[in-house]
Amino acid sequence: MAKFIFVTGGVVSSIGKGITTASLGRLLRNRGFTVAPVKLDPYINVDAGTMNPFQHGEVFVTEDGAETDLDLGHYERFMDVNCSGNSSVTTGKVYLSVIQAERRGDYLGATVQVIPHVTNEIKKRIVDLAKEQEADVVIAEIGGTVGDIESLPFLEAIRQMRTEFGLENTLYVHVTLVPQVGPWHEVKTKPTQHSVMQLREIGIAPDVLVCRTEVPLAQEVKEKISLFCGVPPEAVIESRNAATIYEVPLHYENDGLGEFVCKRLSLEATHNDLDEWKSIVKTLKSPQNQCRIAVVGKYTSNGDSYKSIAESLIHAGIPNDCSVDITWIESDTMESGRPPEEMLKGVDGLVVAPGFGERGIEGKIEAIRYAREIGLPFLGICYGLQMAVVEFARNMCGLTGANTEEVVANPPYPVIHLLPEQKGVAEKGATMRLGSWPCNLVNGTIAQKLYGSTRITERHRHRYEVNNDFREKLTEHGMVISGVSPDYRLVEMIEIPGHPFFVGTQAHPEFKSRPNRPHPLFQGLVKAALVHKRKALAAQPVEAI
Ligand code: GLN
C-alpha cells in the first residue's frame, strides 16, 4: 500500500510549496522509491488551460495531454517522472464529477454535500493515482494558503485520510515562514505558531515544518518552534534561500528531511544516491562559460509564464558548462520602432516563445527576420515556428501579406491555417491538439543530429499548423522541413541550412527538459549561442573587449 504525504503552506502565498514537494520527491527518488506527485488546486476552472498566463503562469502540458498547473513542471523536473493528467486535481474537476454523478442518480436520492461527497471524490482521486502509478509514495500538494476558504474541502479530505490510512501511512508537511523583523533582524517564530494553530483548528497537526528563512535557523529557534508547534526538533527543517532552486533538495537532505520522512513512514531505503544531483548543482553554481539568450513572448512581464522555457535554458547550460542569462522581451515592444539590433544588443541567441492571438506577432516576426539575416541562433517554439514560417514566406518567398489565419481571416497567403480536425470546435477547454505526438526527422538535418534519432515524440498544444499548400514554395526558397508527423500531413519542425542555428518546432520541447537530461534542441541553441558569442568577441576591436 502507498504512503501519503501532504504538503500545505501557511503565512504567505508563494512560499515554495511546489519546490518543497518537488524536492521531497527528489529525496525519495534518490532512495529508489516510486513517487506520484499530485497538485490539489482550489480553483474552479476544470483545468489551467483556460487561465490567463499573466495571472496563473504557464500552462504545463503532460504526456497524456492534460493542461495543468506549472507546479507539475517542477515535479517532473525534480523527480524525473512523467506526471499523469490525474496528477492535477482541481475543485472544478471534483465538482464536475460529483455533479455528473448526481445527475446520473448515482447517489440514490441522498442530499449531495461537501462532506462526504466532495471529500470522498477528492480522496478517491488521490488513492486512484497511487494505484495508477503503482506508487510507493504519493505526495499531494494543496494549493493556496491555510486559512483560504477555497481549500477547506481539500484539507478536510486529507484530514480524513489520516484516520483511514493510519499514522504510519500518512504525513503532514507544513511549509511556513520564519521572518526577521525590526532593526536587529530578530528571527520571529510567531507567524509559524499561528499558521500551525490554524491548521490544528481544522484537525491537522503537522508532522514536519519546513521553515522558509533568509538566515540559518539556530538550534534554539528550532527548539522553540518544536515546543510551540508540537513537532520534534529534527522535524523542523531549515529552508534557506538557495543559489539555484536545484540546490533545495541538497539543503533538505543536509537538514535531515529525507531521513526523518523515511523513518516516520517506515520506508526502508537500501541506498541514497545523491551524486548526480550534486554534480548538476556544482555546474549550475560555478559554470566556466556564460551566454545571454533573449526570449521574445507575449507574457514576459510574469516571470512564471514561460517557466519551463526558462528552466530548459538553464538545463541546457549544464552540458555546455555555461550559465544562461535570459533577457525577457515583451513582443509588442519589438513593434515600438526601436530597431531589433538595439533591442537584441549583446544577445547570443533568441527564443521566440509560444503564444496566442494578434498582440505582438509583428514584433516576433521582426525579431526572427533579424536573427535569420545576421545569423543569430534561433529557436522558435510553436507560435515561434509559425511566425518563422510567416517571416520566411513574406521576406524570402515574396508572399507579401502572408500570415496566420489565427489573426487575419483571409490573408492573401494563409501560410498557417487551422488544423482540419479543429474546424467546428467551439469549446475552448481541452480541445487543442494536446499531449505527446510522434514525429519523423529527416536524416542529416540539425534536428535529427541533435536528437540522435529519426523518430521522436514531443508534447503539443496548438490549433493551427503550417498550410501544406505552401510547403513547396517554402522549400524551393531554402527552408527545410526537418520533421513531419508519421502520416506526412503535419509539419513538425523546420530549419534553414547555412544559418548557424535556425530551428523551429511545432511542439513544446520545454516540457520534457530535465536538469539531468537537458533537451537536445535547447542544448543545440546554447551551444550555438556560445559559438556566436566567441565570434562576436573575436570580431570586436581589442579595446572594446
Ligand atoms: N496559437 C498557435 C496555435 O494555436 C500556437 C500555439 C502555441 O504557441 N502553443 O496553433
Side-chain angles (χ1 to χ4, degrees), residues 338 368 443 459 477 499:
R338 270 175 71 196
I368 295 167
N443 251 323
R459 301 184 195 174
H477 288 83
H499 188 285

Side-chain angles (χ1 to χ4, degrees), residues 352-357 364 381-387 404 406 416-419 422 432-433 460-465 505-508 510-511:
V352 171
F356 296 86
K364 287 183 170 172
I381 302 177
C382 204
Y383 218 17
L385 167 139
Q386 296 177 359
M387 291 306 106
T404 165
E406 182 168 349
I416 306 294
H417 70 170
L418 203 61
L419 285 156
Q422 287 287 326
M432 285 190 236
R433 179 171 182 257
H460 291 70
R461 182 173 188 250
H462 64 124
R463 290 189 201 282
Y464 293 82
E465 62 164 350
T505 168
Q506 185 57 74
H508 288 263
E510 70 273 22
F511 295 140

Side-chain angles (χ1 to χ4, degrees), residues 100-389:
Q100 281 168 346
E102 182 273 334
R103 292 287 84 184
R104 281 195 305 269
D106 294 358
Y107 298 121
L108 306 175
T111 307
V112 181
Q113 293 177 304
V114 172
I115 306 171
H117 301 97
V118 167
T119 46
N120 281 353
E121 178 63 28
I122 295 169
K123 289 188 289 183
K124 179 177 177 306
R125 284 174 180 259
I126 299 173
V127 173
D128 285 354
L129 180 75
K131 287 186 201 135
E132 175 197 285
Q133 300 291 309
E134 296 175 11
D136 299 317
V137 185
V138 172
I139 311 184
E141 174 190 347
I142 292 86
T145 309
V146 167
D148 295 349
I149 294 172
E150 299 93 348
S151 52
L152 280 174
F154 289 111
L155 294 171
E156 171 59 15
I158 67 168
R159 184 195 69 77
Q160 293 172 11
M161 285 182 74
R162 158 79 36 106
T163 319
E164 276 168 47
F165 294 92
L167 193 66
E168 64 287 6
N169 295 316
T170 51
L171 182 101
Y172 300 112
V173 177
H174 189 53
V175 188
T176 169
L177 184 71
V178 180
Q180 287 175 283
V181 180
W184 308 109
H185 303 293
E186 266 180 273
V187 170
K188 294 292 181 191
T189 63
K190 197 70 82 188
T192 296
Q193 293 177 39
H194 279 281
S195 184
V196 170
M197 254 158 56
Q198 215 162 13
L199 253 185
R200 291 177 161 228
E201 264 171 34
I202 43 184
I204 295 173
D207 301 289
V208 174
L209 291 172
V210 171
C211 302
R212 287 298 302 274
T213 166
E214 283 180 18
V215 289
L217 276 193
Q219 189 57 26
E220 66 198 58
V221 176
K222 285 190 169 186
E223 277 164 17
K224 187 173 176 190
I225 294 173
S226 154
L227 183 69
F228 280 88
C229 300
V231 299
E234 67 270 26
V236 179
I237 305 295
E238 171 188 301
S239 178
R240 224 174 337 137
N241 293 348
T244 141
I245 51 170
Y246 298 107
E247 199 177 13
V248 174
L250 300 179
H251 283 182
Y252 287 175
E253 184 65 50
N254 280 343
D255 220 28
L257 179 63
E259 205 184 310
F260 181 84
V261 167
C262 288
K263 209 161 90 194
R264 173 62 183 63
L265 291 173
S266 308
L267 287 164
E268 275 166 40
T270 51
H271 62 281
N272 184 11
D273 198 351
L274 276 164
D275 290 350
E276 186 185 47
W277 207 260
K278 275 189 178 157
S279 105
I280 288 167
V281 172
K282 189 162 170 255
T283 314
L284 285 174
K285 284 177 79 177
S286 50
Q288 296 304 304
N289 307 302
Q290 181 271 334
C291 73
R292 179 167 291 281
I293 306 278
V295 179
V296 175
K298 186 176 167 184
Y299 315 104
T300 53
S301 58
N302 177 344
D304 278 346
S305 301
Y306 302 108
K307 191 73 192 150
S308 294
I309 293 179
E311 295 306 318
S312 301
L313 287 168
I314 291 168
H315 303 163
I318 298 169
N320 287 296
D321 200 5
C322 171
S323 77
V324 181
D325 296 331
I326 302 175
T327 300
W328 299 101
I329 302 179
E330 197 70 18
S331 38
D332 41 11
T333 64
M334 296 279 320
E335 295 168 359
S336 63
R338 270 175 71 196
E341 50 272 36
E342 203 182 288
M343 304 236 11
L344 296 171
K345 193 161 181 245
V347 152
D348 311 305
L350 170 71
V351 171
V352 171
F356 296 86
E358 187 178 1
R359 187 170 67 78
I361 70 152
E362 292 302 326
K364 287 183 170 172
I365 292 169
E366 188 55 6
I368 295 167
R369 181 191 60 76
Y370 176 73
R372 182 180 54 74
E373 287 179 357
I374 72 144
L376 183 68
F378 162 76
L379 178 61
I381 302 177
C382 204
Y383 218 17
L385 167 139
Q386 296 177 359
M387 291 306 106
V389 169

